[in-house]
Amino acid sequence: MKRKWLHSLRGMFRNQAIVLMYHRVAEPVNDPWQIMVSPEHFSQQLDVLKRKASVIPLDRLVSDYRRNALKRKSVVLTFDDGYLDNFTTVRPLLEKFDLPATFFITTGKIGTREEFWWDELARLMLQSDELPAQFSLPVGTETIGVETGAEARLTPELKRQNETWTTQEDPPNRRCALFLAIWEKMRATATEAQRSTLGSLRELARFNGPAVSEGPCMSEEQLASLGRHELVRIGAHTVTHPALGEWPEAFQREEILNCRTRLEEITGQTVNHLAYPFGVYNETSTKVAGALGFEAAVTTREKVVDGKSSPLELGRFEVVNWGGEEFEEYLHYWINK
């Protein structure tokens, strides 16, 4: 306890900043990865940030880092992927509290009605009324097979378990375990193989829930409008959201460069910040980012930004669906970490 207290005390006098990671601001439904923060809670979190921190643009953080002028309580807000609610819900709340943010955009989904593969996988596996009792699904070069047994039909209890389960916990049933197994395999496959897997799963699953009524991500017009906002900066998040560190250098370069090129065409902004999808990167990734002229890149590693940080490996702290009081406790801990 004494050691922890001393560590926190040292953090109170250290020149450092933190970067927060968000994805979506929407009412959480079947959110196993905890990427959704409700609008009510997000508003409470912004209120805490307005009162307790100094929220600065990522550009400013990079500038302060280069000048060895990082200031404690400096906080950067980031959003990954480019979900539609970033435009319809997040932007108005940022305006309300006058707080800046950087949005890292996966360009392959902009202007389409195609869901991110992990969202459709969760919907089909965790919400479908019925799955085959003998479940067999091709994923890349492998086939995942299992007996779903009594869990083939979505009972009210199974539905409740699926809606409240997160990947921070052990799977409470076969469906959740099967979802995780498929997710792990799909993350390592190419985009066309992912689409093929989802096509097969649609044929297997009896999903009677509401159809996706609109594109899950922003349109080009919405992204362009977001990019023009004085509080907003746009960053690259690749074209197809691959785990970059698991792919060859040429593929990594193509994904990053093509993403940046399209973002600059749509927004008219210079794009010089990058977020590694899934937080998966390697030395090749940082080399490519540096060679392409990116000034900063963010990871998913929970680390403060200080004088020892690498600008192409900046840590971030993920924010989940906490109310204001709970978020304030985490913020205090991170700032003084």
Side-chain angles (χ1 to χ4, degrees), residues 133-334:
Q134 297 290 332
F135 184 92
S136 180
L137 181 70
V139 185
T141 59
E142 302 181 40
T143 297
I144 295 179
V146 68
E147 290 186 12
T148 56
E151 295 180 11
R153 186 175 295 276
L154 188 67
T155 64
E157 173 58 20
L158 194 61
K159 184 174 184 290
R160 184 196 65 79
Q161 290 178 7
N162 294 351
E163 288 178 345
T164 58
W165 171 68
T166 75
T167 56
Q168 299 296 313
E169 309 160 337
D170 290 334
N173 56 56
R174 292 184 185 180
R175 279 206 191 200
C176 292
L178 188 55
F179 162 78
L180 266 185
I182 298 170
W183 186 94
E184 288 286 351
K185 297 294 185 184
M186 286 187 69
R187 195 192 74 166
T189 61
T191 300
E192 288 308 313
Q194 291 168 351
R195 287 175 174 146
S196 177
T197 295
L198 289 173
S200 298
L201 183 56
R202 291 185 207 110
E203 296 178 1
L204 293 174
R206 200 176 81 186
F207 178 77
N208 293 322
V212 178
S213 58
E214 56 187 342
C217 291
M218 288 178 273
S219 67
E220 287 192 11
E221 293 75 15
Q222 289 165 332
L223 177 57
S225 175
L226 183 68
R228 288 192 296 268
H229 200 287
E230 61 183 359
L231 293 172
V232 170
R233 292 294 180 269
I234 301 297
H237 202 38
T238 72
V239 177
T240 65
H241 205 284
L244 284 173
E246 298 172 358
W247 292 88
E249 179 175 345
F251 178 84
Q252 293 193 43
R253 187 179 189 281
E254 181 180 33
E255 280 280 329
I256 297 170
L257 180 58
N258 289 350
C259 174
R260 181 173 69 181
T261 299
R262 187 170 184 213
L263 288 175
E264 291 182 342
E265 290 173 349
I266 293 172
T267 67
Q269 281 194 18
T270 298
V271 175
N272 48 26
H273 299 141
L274 169 70
Y276 303 113
F278 303 112
V280 178
Y281 69 101
N282 55 16
E283 290 184 8
T284 299
S285 312
T286 57
K287 183 182 80 170
V288 168
L292 290 175
F294 283 90
E295 295 179 358
V298 294
T299 72
T300 58
R301 296 181 179 180
E302 294 198 336
K303 291 183 177 181
V304 299
V305 178
D306 58 22
K308 299 178 182 178
S309 301
S310 165
L312 295 178
E313 298 180 77
L314 299 179
R316 290 191 292 176
F317 296 89
E318 184 171 17
V319 182
V320 300
N321 192 32
W322 297 311
E325 290 185 7
E326 189 172 8
F327 171 73
E328 185 171 345
E329 292 178 2
Y330 277 94
L331 181 67
H332 177 79
Y333 173 71
W334 290 334

Side-chain angles (χ1 to χ4, degrees), residues 12-25:
M12 294 178 67
F13 298 99
R14 186 182 301 146
N15 291 332
Q16 60 187 32
I18 63 171
V19 183
L20 302 184
M21 176 175 64
Y22 290 88
H23 290 81
R24 301 197 62 188
V25 174

